Amino acid sequence: MRKNIIQYYVEGEDDKKVIDTLKTEMGLIKPGKVQVLNVVTEEITDLRLRALSPGTTVVLVFDVDAGSVDILNRNVTKLNSCSVVANVVTIPQVANLEEEILRSCDIGRIEDLLNSKSRRDFKSDLLRVTNLAAKLKEHHFNFDQFWTAAPTPSYQSIPNQSSQIKIKIK
């Protein structure tokens, strides 16, 4: 049986792009498969659970500015009761991905990261950019500031467990 399998569930394609960059190009988080599933608006299906391998750690990355903590709690309960799931890690993005990037870079507006014309354009620019790691480094990305804020009500009871997937750089 393989161990240390990680399955990331993230809110959207933009989150997937950032997670893929953090794990592959920057080597800052543990490797694993990344799928889009908004765990604060969608319930995890039995079909999705059957696709998991024994010993899988499931990492839930979600924004706290929308959705339902009740749906999130049902998903965590379902995952914890699944025999193939070894661990469930929760990572609340406070308040969302853009705020996490703002807190971690030396930019005043999220549009400044990719020279986007608007906040809406930022999302599409993020999906198209081919050098995200370079852009983050150019703006002094501080990974120690990423995923560190305490969740706001109504998510305050959900722990930020990002330290379990962050790779310690020496």
Side-chain angles (χ1 to χ4, degrees), residues 31-151:
K33 187 174 182 180
V34 183
Q35 292 181 330
V36 174
L37 173 70
N38 190 342
V39 296
V40 297
T41 62
E42 301 173 61
E43 296 204 15
I44 294 175
T45 64
D46 291 338
L47 180 63
R48 195 175 287 271
L49 292 178
R50 284 196 289 270
L52 298 176
S53 299
T56 299
T57 293
V58 176
V59 180
L60 307 176
V61 182
F62 53 92
D63 294 354
V64 300
D65 63 351
S68 165
V69 72
D70 294 331
I71 293 173
L72 174 64
N73 284 329
R74 285 195 295 273
N75 284 329
V76 169
T77 299
K78 187 169 193 170
L79 287 165
N80 280 328
S81 67
C82 182
S83 62
V84 298
V85 174
N87 189 21
V88 178
V89 175
T90 53
I91 302 177
Q93 296 188 127
V94 180
N96 52 43
L97 176 64
E98 293 87 350
E99 296 300 319
E100 292 289 347
I101 293 171
L102 276 169
R103 181 175 39 261
S104 306
C105 292
D106 65 354
I107 54 177
R109 302 175 319 125
I110 195 63
E111 296 89 343
D112 297 339
L113 182 70
L114 304 175
N115 295 318
S116 302
K117 291 181 178 158
S118 69
R119 197 170 182 100
R120 179 179 290 176
D121 286 343
F122 171 77
K123 288 213 181 243
S124 56
D125 292 347
L126 180 63
L127 295 176
R128 281 194 303 270
V129 71
T130 57
N131 62 342
L132 180 57
K135 289 290 188 181
L136 289 168
K137 289 175 186 173
E138 176 185 327
H139 292 285
H140 304 102
F141 179 67
N142 181 350
F143 191 54
D144 291 335
Q145 295 298 313
F146 197 75
W147 293 333
T148 58

